[in-house]
């Protein structure tokens, strides 16, 4: 398959060709998908032809969106401008054998995080009680319940009512009603209802998960468990601050935090990365 840049040769000035993105997200399936592209502003006059060529490369793409600005607000949404095709509303996305229905313009979803979801899901042991905070349309919760069918329960908390509605539908689509419990609400209020229940807590909100560490530690069983914590930080001091925040919150709840693994998930901005911390939480008293 030719690259987008190759396809655009001759239609764009040579000096702009090098600004054409080498990759973009495709969300959906063979029956219908959308493409989401990050585009340099100098390409603005050519956005229509770029969208056309993306649809030529990927025949299943019905709509091409350009990212406008960054993610904002509590729901972590970004403005998307339709630059080709027609509004399609929702699509059915498949990753690692499960289905996710969603509308990219109304909920957070990143297909690039599929590998990270699998990495976390692969750690879950039979019989565990798992809490996924900031659950979106359910990809972490569904990945976990698919990969570890003997999980006791996965509680998935989400505040955006549209994302929650998709999560309920996605749980049904993947026949996981027995395992995944979607909850609509604020982690601040909903998580404490599961005090001392969890073996594992997942916190996939790099912007601000640290403000909910108190709720996470309230949820752990007395003996502790494992925390998957996400955080952004600069490359000059990558993992220090994130782990320190976890360590201090653990201490306040009478736990000890042992860092199992810390890794870069993806670049976020120049010299800033999204980081994942896997932390074993031990009880100090037991
Ligand atoms: C970065 S997205 C991650 C979504 C999902 N886990 C995924 O990987 O696709 C964070 C999600 O947390 C939700 N959220 C933000 N603050 C919240 C809160 N206080 N309680 C519950 N959900 C929250 C947002 O609406 C958004 O869907």
């Amino acid at each position: 398959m030719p690259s987008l840049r190759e396809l655009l040769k001759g239609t764009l000035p040579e000096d702009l060709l090098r600004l054409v993105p080498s990759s973009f997200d495709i969300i959906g399936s063979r029956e219908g998908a959308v493409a989401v592209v990050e585009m340099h502003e100098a390409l603005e006059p050519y956005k229509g032809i770029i969208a056309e060529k993306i649809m030529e490369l990927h025949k299943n793409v019905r709509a091409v969106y350009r990212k406008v600005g960054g993610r904002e607000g509590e729901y972590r949404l970004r403005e998307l401008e339709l630059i080709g095709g027609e509004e399609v509303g929702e699509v059915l996305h498949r990753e690692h054998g499960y289905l996710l229905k969603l509308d990219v313009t109304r909920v957070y979803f990143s297909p690039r995080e599929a590998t990270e979801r699998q990495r976390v899901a692969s750690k879950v042991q039979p019989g565990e009680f798992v809490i996924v905070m900031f659950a979106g349309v359910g990809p972490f919760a569904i990945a976990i319940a698919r990969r570890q069918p003997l999980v006791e329960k996965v509680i998935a908390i989400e505040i955006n009512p549209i994302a929650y509605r998709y999560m309920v539908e996605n749980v049904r689509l993947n026949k996981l009603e027995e395992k995944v419990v979607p909850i609509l609400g604020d982690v601040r209020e909903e998580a404490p209802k599961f005090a001392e229940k969890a073996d594992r807590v997942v916190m996939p909100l790099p912007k601000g998960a640290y403000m909910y560490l108190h709720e996470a530690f309230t949820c752990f069983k007395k003996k502790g468990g494992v925390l998957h914590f996400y955080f952004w930080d600069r490359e000059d001091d990558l993992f220090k601050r994130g782990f320190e925040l976890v360590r201090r919150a653990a201490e306040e709840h009478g736990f000890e935090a042992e860092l199992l693994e810390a890794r870069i998930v993806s670049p976020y901005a120049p010299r800033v990365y999204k980081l994942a911390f896997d932390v074993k939480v031990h009880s100090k008293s037991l």
Side-chain angles (χ1 to χ4, degrees), residues 71 73-76 107-110 113 117 132-140 157-160 163 185-188 204-206 212 274:
R71 292 195 178 278
E74 191 170 44
Y75 298 170
R76 309 306 301 136
V107 299
Y108 176 100
F109 180 71
S110 171
E113 289 158 10
R117 295 191 257 278
V132 178
M133 299 175 160
F134 323 112
V137 299
F140 261 104
I157 309 171
E158 170 56 45
I159 203 167
N160 173 356
D186 189 334
V187 161
R188 191 84 71 209
L205 179 71
Y212 298 84
K274 174 173 170 177

Short mmCIF file of all heavy atoms in Angstrom, two decimals, residues 71 73-76 107-110 113 117 132-140 157-160 163 185-188 204-206 212 274, ligand 1:
data_model
loop_
_atom_site.label_atom_id
_atom_site.label_comp_id
_atom_site.label_asym_id
_atom_site.label_seq_id
_atom_site.Cartn_x
_atom_site.Cartn_y
_atom_site.Cartn_z
N ARG A 71 -7.10 17.91 24.09
CA ARG A 71 -8.25 17.42 24.86
C ARG A 71 -8.54 18.38 26.00
O ARG A 71 -7.61 18.89 26.62
CB ARG A 71 -7.94 16.03 25.43
CG ARG A 71 -7.82 14.99 24.36
CD ARG A 71 -7.88 13.61 24.95
NE ARG A 71 -7.81 12.63 23.88
CZ ARG A 71 -8.84 12.24 23.15
NH1 ARG A 71 -10.03 12.75 23.38
NH2 ARG A 71 -8.70 11.35 22.20
N GLY A 73 -11.42 19.68 29.31
CA GLY A 73 -12.58 19.45 30.17
C GLY A 73 -12.55 18.12 30.88
O GLY A 73 -11.65 17.30 30.70
N GLU A 74 -13.57 17.95 31.72
CA GLU A 74 -13.66 16.75 32.55
C GLU A 74 -13.78 15.47 31.70
O GLU A 74 -13.25 14.44 32.05
CB GLU A 74 -14.90 16.91 33.43
CG GLU A 74 -14.99 15.89 34.52
CD GLU A 74 -16.08 16.23 35.51
OE1 GLU A 74 -17.19 16.61 35.07
OE2 GLU A 74 -15.83 16.10 36.72
N TYR A 75 -14.48 15.58 30.57
CA TYR A 75 -14.72 14.39 29.75
C TYR A 75 -13.55 14.07 28.82
O TYR A 75 -13.58 13.10 28.09
CB TYR A 75 -15.98 14.56 28.89
CG TYR A 75 -17.27 14.74 29.67
CD1 TYR A 75 -18.43 15.11 29.00
CD2 TYR A 75 -17.34 14.52 31.03
CE1 TYR A 75 -19.64 15.27 29.70
CE2 TYR A 75 -18.53 14.69 31.72
CZ TYR A 75 -19.67 15.07 31.06
OH TYR A 75 -20.84 15.23 31.74
N ARG A 76 -12.51 14.91 28.82
CA ARG A 76 -11.31 14.74 28.00
C ARG A 76 -11.66 14.62 26.51
O ARG A 76 -11.20 13.70 25.81
CB ARG A 76 -10.49 13.51 28.46
CG ARG A 76 -10.15 13.45 29.92
CD ARG A 76 -9.46 14.66 30.48
NE ARG A 76 -8.20 14.99 29.86
CZ ARG A 76 -7.85 16.25 29.51
NH1 ARG A 76 -8.64 17.27 29.75
NH2 ARG A 76 -6.68 16.47 28.98
N VAL A 107 -17.01 11.09 22.87
CA VAL A 107 -16.39 10.37 23.99
C VAL A 107 -14.88 10.29 23.76
O VAL A 107 -14.41 10.46 22.63
CB VAL A 107 -16.92 8.92 24.10
CG1 VAL A 107 -18.41 8.91 24.36
CG2 VAL A 107 -16.59 8.11 22.85
N TYR A 108 -14.15 10.02 24.84
CA TYR A 108 -12.71 9.79 24.71
C TYR A 108 -12.50 8.37 24.22
O TYR A 108 -13.08 7.42 24.74
CB TYR A 108 -12.03 9.93 26.09
CG TYR A 108 -10.55 9.60 26.04
CD1 TYR A 108 -9.61 10.60 25.99
CD2 TYR A 108 -10.11 8.28 26.03
CE1 TYR A 108 -8.25 10.32 25.93
CE2 TYR A 108 -8.76 7.98 25.97
CZ TYR A 108 -7.84 9.00 25.92
OH TYR A 108 -6.50 8.70 25.85
N PHE A 109 -11.65 8.21 23.21
CA PHE A 109 -11.19 6.86 22.86
C PHE A 109 -9.89 6.99 22.07
O PHE A 109 -9.80 7.82 21.16
CB PHE A 109 -12.21 6.10 22.01
CG PHE A 109 -11.71 4.72 21.66
CD1 PHE A 109 -11.62 3.75 22.64
CD2 PHE A 109 -11.26 4.42 20.38
CE1 PHE A 109 -11.11 2.48 22.35
CE2 PHE A 109 -10.76 3.16 20.09
CZ PHE A 109 -10.69 2.19 21.07
N SER A 110 -8.90 6.17 22.41
CA SER A 110 -7.66 6.16 21.63
C SER A 110 -7.29 4.72 21.28
O SER A 110 -6.96 3.92 22.16
CB SER A 110 -6.53 6.80 22.43
OG SER A 110 -5.32 6.57 21.74
N GLU A 113 -3.95 2.99 22.51
CA GLU A 113 -3.70 2.49 23.86
C GLU A 113 -4.09 1.01 24.01
O GLU A 113 -4.04 0.46 25.11
CB GLU A 113 -4.45 3.36 24.87
CG GLU A 113 -3.79 4.73 24.97
CD GLU A 113 -4.68 5.83 25.51
OE1 GLU A 113 -5.78 5.52 26.00
OE2 GLU A 113 -4.28 7.01 25.42
N ARG A 117 -3.68 -1.55 27.28
CA ARG A 117 -4.82 -2.24 27.90
C ARG A 117 -4.53 -3.74 28.02
O ARG A 117 -4.82 -4.36 29.04
CB ARG A 117 -6.08 -2.04 27.06
CG ARG A 117 -6.54 -0.61 26.99
CD ARG A 117 -7.91 -0.52 26.38
NE ARG A 117 -7.94 -0.08 24.99
CZ ARG A 117 -7.88 1.18 24.59
NH1 ARG A 117 -7.76 2.13 25.46
NH2 ARG A 117 -7.93 1.49 23.31
N VAL A 132 -11.99 -0.19 37.71
CA VAL A 132 -11.44 0.68 36.68
C VAL A 132 -12.11 2.04 36.86
O VAL A 132 -13.31 2.20 36.65
CB VAL A 132 -11.71 0.15 35.25
CG1 VAL A 132 -11.17 1.14 34.21
CG2 VAL A 132 -11.10 -1.23 35.05
N MET A 133 -11.33 3.02 37.28
CA MET A 133 -11.84 4.39 37.41
C MET A 133 -11.73 5.04 36.03
O MET A 133 -10.94 4.59 35.20
CB MET A 133 -10.97 5.16 38.41
CG MET A 133 -11.00 4.55 39.80
SD MET A 133 -9.83 5.45 40.87
CE MET A 133 -10.48 5.00 42.47
N PHE A 134 -12.48 6.11 35.78
CA PHE A 134 -12.34 6.86 34.52
C PHE A 134 -12.45 5.90 33.33
O PHE A 134 -11.57 5.84 32.46
CB PHE A 134 -11.00 7.61 34.49
CG PHE A 134 -10.58 8.16 35.82
CD1 PHE A 134 -9.48 7.66 36.52
CD2 PHE A 134 -11.31 9.18 36.40
CE1 PHE A 134 -9.12 8.16 37.77
CE2 PHE A 134 -10.96 9.70 37.64
CZ PHE A 134 -9.85 9.18 38.33
N ALA A 135 -13.53 5.15 33.28
CA ALA A 135 -13.61 3.96 32.42
C ALA A 135 -13.97 4.24 30.97
O ALA A 135 -13.86 3.35 30.13
CB ALA A 135 -14.62 2.98 33.01
N GLY A 136 -14.42 5.45 30.62
CA GLY A 136 -14.75 5.76 29.22
C GLY A 136 -15.82 4.83 28.67
O GLY A 136 -16.80 4.50 29.36
N VAL A 137 -15.62 4.38 27.43
CA VAL A 137 -16.61 3.49 26.81
C VAL A 137 -16.35 2.02 27.19
O VAL A 137 -16.98 1.12 26.64
CB VAL A 137 -16.67 3.65 25.28
CG1 VAL A 137 -17.06 5.07 24.90
CG2 VAL A 137 -15.34 3.26 24.61
N GLY A 138 -15.41 1.83 28.12
CA GLY A 138 -15.21 0.49 28.70
C GLY A 138 -14.03 -0.33 28.20
O GLY A 138 -13.96 -1.52 28.53
N PRO A 139 -13.08 0.25 27.44
CA PRO A 139 -12.06 -0.63 26.85
C PRO A 139 -11.19 -1.36 27.86
O PRO A 139 -10.89 -2.55 27.66
CB PRO A 139 -11.21 0.32 25.98
CG PRO A 139 -11.45 1.68 26.53
CD PRO A 139 -12.86 1.67 27.05
N PHE A 140 -10.81 -0.70 28.97
CA PHE A 140 -9.97 -1.39 29.97
C PHE A 140 -10.75 -2.51 30.64
O PHE A 140 -10.26 -3.63 30.79
CB PHE A 140 -9.49 -0.40 31.05
CG PHE A 140 -8.09 0.10 30.84
CD1 PHE A 140 -7.86 1.38 30.36
CD2 PHE A 140 -7.00 -0.71 31.12
CE1 PHE A 140 -6.57 1.85 30.17
CE2 PHE A 140 -5.70 -0.25 30.93
CZ PHE A 140 -5.49 1.04 30.45
N ILE A 157 -16.15 2.86 36.44
CA ILE A 157 -16.82 4.13 36.80
C ILE A 157 -16.51 5.22 35.78
O ILE A 157 -15.34 5.47 35.46
CB ILE A 157 -16.35 4.61 38.20
CG1 ILE A 157 -16.49 3.47 39.23
CG2 ILE A 157 -17.15 5.84 38.65
CD1 ILE A 157 -15.86 3.77 40.59
N GLU A 158 -17.55 5.86 35.28
CA GLU A 158 -17.40 6.90 34.25
C GLU A 158 -18.40 8.02 34.48
O GLU A 158 -19.57 7.77 34.75
CB GLU A 158 -17.60 6.27 32.86
CG GLU A 158 -17.71 7.24 31.71
CD GLU A 158 -16.50 8.19 31.58
OE1 GLU A 158 -15.36 7.73 31.69
OE2 GLU A 158 -16.74 9.39 31.37
N ILE A 159 -17.93 9.27 34.28
CA ILE A 159 -18.78 10.43 34.59
C ILE A 159 -19.52 10.98 33.37
O ILE A 159 -20.56 11.63 33.50
CB ILE A 159 -17.95 11.53 35.28
CG1 ILE A 159 -18.84 12.46 36.10
CG2 ILE A 159 -17.11 12.32 34.28
CD1 ILE A 159 -18.07 13.37 37.05
N ASN A 160 -18.98 10.75 32.16
CA ASN A 160 -19.63 11.26 30.94
C ASN A 160 -20.80 10.33 30.59
O ASN A 160 -20.59 9.16 30.27
CB ASN A 160 -18.59 11.29 29.80
CG ASN A 160 -19.20 11.64 28.44
OD1 ASN A 160 -20.42 11.79 28.32
ND2 ASN A 160 -18.35 11.77 27.43
N ALA A 163 -20.48 8.42 27.29
CA ALA A 163 -19.49 7.33 27.34
C ALA A 163 -20.06 6.17 28.15
O ALA A 163 -19.91 5.00 27.78
CB ALA A 163 -18.19 7.84 27.96
N GLY A 185 -21.07 8.03 37.19
CA GLY A 185 -20.88 8.95 38.32
C GLY A 185 -19.44 9.38 38.48
O GLY A 185 -18.57 9.00 37.70
N ASP A 186 -19.23 10.17 39.52
CA ASP A 186 -17.91 10.72 39.82
C ASP A 186 -17.16 9.71 40.69
O ASP A 186 -17.69 9.23 41.71
CB ASP A 186 -18.14 12.03 40.60
CG ASP A 186 -16.86 12.82 40.79
OD1 ASP A 186 -15.76 12.21 40.79
OD2 ASP A 186 -16.97 14.06 40.94
N VAL A 187 -15.93 9.42 40.30
CA VAL A 187 -15.08 8.50 41.08
C VAL A 187 -15.05 8.92 42.55
O VAL A 187 -15.04 8.07 43.45
CB VAL A 187 -13.65 8.47 40.48
CG1 VAL A 187 -12.63 7.93 41.47
CG2 VAL A 187 -13.64 7.66 39.19
N ARG A 188 -15.05 10.23 42.76
CA ARG A 188 -14.98 10.76 44.13
C ARG A 188 -16.13 10.21 44.98
O ARG A 188 -15.94 9.91 46.16
CB ARG A 188 -15.08 12.29 44.03
CG ARG A 188 -14.78 13.01 45.27
CD ARG A 188 -13.32 13.27 45.53
NE ARG A 188 -12.71 14.24 44.66
CZ ARG A 188 -11.42 14.26 44.32
NH1 ARG A 188 -10.60 13.30 44.74
NH2 ARG A 188 -10.94 15.18 43.53
N PRO A 204 -6.83 5.23 34.60
CA PRO A 204 -6.37 5.74 33.31
C PRO A 204 -6.81 7.18 33.02
O PRO A 204 -7.52 7.45 32.05
CB PRO A 204 -6.99 4.75 32.31
CG PRO A 204 -8.21 4.23 32.99
CD PRO A 204 -8.00 4.35 34.47
N LEU A 205 -6.36 8.10 33.86
CA LEU A 205 -6.63 9.53 33.64
C LEU A 205 -5.33 10.29 33.92
O LEU A 205 -5.13 10.80 35.03
CB LEU A 205 -7.74 10.02 34.58
CG LEU A 205 -8.11 11.51 34.48
CD1 LEU A 205 -8.83 11.82 33.17
CD2 LEU A 205 -8.99 11.94 35.66
N PRO A 206 -4.41 10.33 32.91
CA PRO A 206 -3.11 10.95 33.20
C PRO A 206 -3.25 12.38 33.70
O PRO A 206 -2.48 12.82 34.54
CB PRO A 206 -2.37 10.89 31.86
CG PRO A 206 -3.32 10.37 30.86
CD PRO A 206 -4.52 9.80 31.56
N TYR A 212 -7.11 11.54 42.83
CA TYR A 212 -8.07 10.53 43.29
C TYR A 212 -7.37 9.35 43.97
O TYR A 212 -7.94 8.28 44.14
CB TYR A 212 -8.91 10.02 42.11
CG TYR A 212 -9.73 11.11 41.46
CD1 TYR A 212 -9.18 11.96 40.50
CD2 TYR A 212 -11.06 11.31 41.82
CE1 TYR A 212 -9.93 12.97 39.91
CE2 TYR A 212 -11.82 12.32 41.24
CZ TYR A 212 -11.24 13.14 40.29
OH TYR A 212 -11.99 14.14 39.70
N LYS A 274 3.33 10.39 28.65
CA LYS A 274 2.33 9.71 29.48
C LYS A 274 3.03 8.49 30.07
O LYS A 274 3.60 7.68 29.34
CB LYS A 274 1.16 9.29 28.60
CG LYS A 274 0.14 8.45 29.33
CD LYS A 274 -1.06 8.22 28.46
CE LYS A 274 -1.98 7.19 29.07
NZ LYS A 274 -3.18 6.99 28.28
C1 LIG B 1 -8.43 9.66 29.50
S1 LIG B 1 -10.13 9.11 29.41
C2 LIG B 1 -9.91 7.35 29.50
C3 LIG B 1 -11.13 6.58 29.10
C4 LIG B 1 -10.95 5.06 29.00
N1 LIG B 1 -10.41 4.50 30.22
C5 LIG B 1 -10.08 4.70 27.84
O1 LIG B 1 -8.96 4.21 28.06
O2 LIG B 1 -10.53 4.87 26.68
C6 LIG B 1 -10.70 9.54 31.02
C7 LIG B 1 -12.18 9.35 31.27
O3 LIG B 1 -12.45 9.67 32.63
C8 LIG B 1 -13.70 10.32 32.73
N2 LIG B 1 -13.65 11.08 33.99
C9 LIG B 1 -12.99 12.24 34.24
N3 LIG B 1 -13.15 12.61 35.53
C10 LIG B 1 -13.92 11.66 36.12
C11 LIG B 1 -14.42 11.48 37.45
N4 LIG B 1 -14.16 12.35 38.42
N5 LIG B 1 -15.17 10.38 37.71
C12 LIG B 1 -15.44 9.48 36.73
N6 LIG B 1 -15.00 9.59 35.45
C13 LIG B 1 -14.23 10.67 35.15
C14 LIG B 1 -13.79 11.14 31.45
O4 LIG B 1 -15.13 11.43 31.14
C15 LIG B 1 -13.11 10.22 30.42
O5 LIG B 1 -14.04 9.42 29.77
#
